[in-house]
Amino acid sequence: MSATESRNTVDLGEVAKFEAMAAEWWDPVGKFKPLHMLNPTRLEYIVDQIAAEFGRDRSSLKPFEGLRLLDIGCGGGMLSEPMARLGAAVVGADAAAGNIAVAQIHAKQSGLEIDYRNTMAEALVDEGERFDVILNMEVIEHVADPQVFLKACAALLKPGGQMICSTINRNAKSYLVAIVGAERVMRWLPVGTHEWDRFITPDELSGLIEKAGLEMVDKKGFVFNPLLWSWSLSERDLSVNYVTTIVKAG
């Protein structure tokens, strides 16, 4: 068994769920409708954090030029593509081959050069890859071993690098909203897409990050307003979806 195989955090059952939905990544009313709705708010946070960390001018044409960025668990490329448009050299990695095929086709149609790979974080470590920025968005709740996964991500960050990581809190509200509401009532996602016991509280994530040798420097909630039918960032409400910014010492 290779070193990579012994540290493999890919959960094949979780990969199969997303393989089955791969063709719908770019359909705004399909099975990934929740992500399409959330994406502008995700991007607002991501762009602000990267620009602040690396002293980039958001008003410039390609503010992230010169930055090497990994979108781990990239899916169909919904975050990889805007990062490439902002000038970053993007590697999009996903354990589901079907996702990579969709992402490659869409990037070509969009005239974007993105290095998409059907691989995992541990394999990238073994290949000696290093990045200024890692986007780790809605992935950690789907891996087999979050601690091993985060240690691999830490190894992939250059000194002074930044990781943005989002996930779902584990409490009664998140069960009602993310499982009952999103999957069974609204039918935004197929039943079984998420497993409540895999959700991670902010305190748990902070502990995992610290053990990986990283530091959490910011956290905010993604809050859905059913009356306005829109998402927003919250300084205080991390009760369901939340996002963190993490840095590696230089």
Side-chain angles (χ1 to χ4, degrees):
M1 179 180 289
S2 71
T4 299
E5 288 171 333
S6 67
R7 294 182 287 109
N8 185 347
T9 58
V10 171
D11 185 313
L12 295 179
E14 294 294 296
V15 172
K17 293 177 187 178
F18 290 91
E19 285 272 20
M21 299 186 284
E24 297 194 47
W25 270 107
W26 289 95
D27 180 356
V29 296
K31 290 185 173 68
F32 293 101
K33 180 180 179 179
L35 276 184
H36 282 274
M37 294 169 62
L38 176 58
N39 219 37
T41 306
R42 292 200 302 174
L43 283 169
E44 175 189 351
Y45 181 84
I46 289 166
V47 172
D48 279 349
Q49 292 296 317
I50 296 174
E53 182 67 27
F54 294 95
R56 300 305 176 95
D57 180 2
R58 286 195 57 174
S59 65
S60 64
L61 187 61
K62 291 187 180 295
F64 297 163
E65 200 162 28
L67 294 178
R68 194 154 189 262
L69 182 146
L70 171 65
D71 184 6
I72 191 74
C74 64
M78 289 172 60
L79 292 174
S80 295
E81 290 200 6
M83 294 298 104
R85 288 192 180 94
L86 290 170
V90 178
V91 174
D94 202 290
N99 290 345
I100 293 299
V102 170
Q104 288 172 330
I105 291 169
H106 199 273
K108 185 176 181 180
Q109 292 170 341
S110 303
L112 295 170
E113 291 188 13
I114 299 172
D115 182 2
Y116 283 119
R117 307 183 196 178
N118 177 209
T119 189
M120 58 189 180
E122 294 84 357
L124 291 170
V125 172
D126 289 345
E127 292 163 14
E129 293 282 11
R130 296 295 182 269
F131 300 91
D132 300 291
V133 179
I134 296 177
L135 301 185
N136 184 352
M137 308 295 285
E138 291 84 42
V139 175
I140 193 168
E141 69 270 23
H142 297 288
V143 302
D145 189 327
Q147 186 67 79
V148 172
F149 174 66
L150 283 175
K151 285 183 177 179
C153 291
L156 290 168
L157 273 180
K158 295 178 183 178
Q162 176 190 65
M163 178 166 66
I164 299 173
C165 177
S166 63
T167 188
I168 306 175
N169 203 341
R170 190 180 68 258
N171 52 42
K173 182 178 177 181
S174 69
Y175 181 82
L176 289 172
V177 172
I179 305 290
V180 177
E183 296 184 10
R184 299 174 188 171
V185 177
M186 301 303 295
R187 300 290 180 179
W188 281 348
L189 292 166
V191 173
T193 297
H194 290 108
E195 296 176 28
W196 182 82
D197 58 359
R198 287 177 177 259
F199 292 172
I200 300 173
T201 70
D203 285 346
E204 288 170 346
L205 182 59
S206 180
L208 292 169
I209 287 165
E210 187 176 341
K211 286 179 182 177
L214 302 171
E215 180 186 2
M216 183 188 294
V217 295
D218 187 70
K219 57 184 176 182
K220 288 185 173 62
F222 289 139
V223 179
F224 182 68
N225 185 323
L227 297 177
L228 298 176
W229 209 248
S230 64
W231 289 87
S232 62
L233 285 167
S234 172
E235 295 278 353
R236 293 180 295 178
D237 187 355
L238 281 70
S239 58
V240 184
N241 297 79
Y242 68 99
V243 62
T244 64
T245 296
I246 299 150
V247 295
K248 183 174 182 176

